[in-house]
Amino acid sequence: QVQLVESGGGLVQAGGSLRLSCAASGRTFSSYVVGWFRQAPGKEREFVAAISARGGATYYTDSVKGRFTISRDNAKNTVYLQMNGLKPEDTAVYYCAAKASSYFSDYVPSWSGDFASWGQGTQVTVSS
């Protein structure tokens, strides 16, 4: 399994932008699907976006489509979540998660139970 560390969270005004990073350890990172999830206070953890092992496929939850972009740089063992047009309802702890896959697979799951490795999370707060 890989170890994951998120960074890039913070406080931003509505309409602003943040870029989250998920840095992974391990030499086989390019064989892992990576997803971003978030959990707001009093709510269940929800899927945000995911990217296939080689980056050929992405998937987003409807509420972030057109505002968030997930990408990865396998040479740097890092996945990014660029968040534009942030809204107060985007406020949450954001987690990245990884699932072992195949470099040539475009399979992109969205169920948290599919992901075996999780980071500690980074707080994103959007003020109105």
Side-chain angles (χ1 to χ4, degrees):
Q1 294 189 357
V2 294
Q3 306 297 318
L4 305 172
V5 178
E6 303 96 334
S7 62
L11 173 64
V12 64
Q13 290 187 335
S17 298
L18 284 173
R19 187 176 80 157
L20 305 183
S21 298
C22 173
S25 63
R27 291 176 290 179
T28 60
F29 179 67
S30 59
S31 296
Y32 282 77
V33 177
V34 177
W36 284 97
F37 294 78
R38 64 188 180 186
Q39 187 166 19
K43 295 187 177 181
E44 293 187 354
R45 188 171 298 185
E46 66 170 351
F47 170 79
V48 176
I51 188 166
S52 61
R54 59 176 171 168
T58 57
Y59 182 60
Y60 300 89
T61 192
D62 286 346
S63 63
V64 308
K65 285 181 180 177
R67 299 188 299 124
F68 291 11
T69 302
I70 189 170
S71 62
R72 67 190 297 160
D73 185 341
N74 284 340
K76 295 182 178 180
N77 278 14
T78 303
V79 170
Y80 305 97
L81 185 67
Q82 178 67 44
M83 305 186 296
N84 299 328
L86 283 161
K87 304 175 181 180
E89 51 264 42
D90 294 318
T91 295
V93 177
Y94 283 70
Y95 300 90
C96 67
K99 169 183 168 55
S101 181
S102 165
Y103 178 76
F104 297 102
S105 171
D106 285 335
Y107 172 60
V108 183
S110 61
W111 179 51
S112 61
D114 279 331
F115 293 83
S117 301
W118 291 81
Q120 294 301 306
T122 185
Q123 176 71 46
V124 171
T125 303
V126 184
S127 63
S128 58

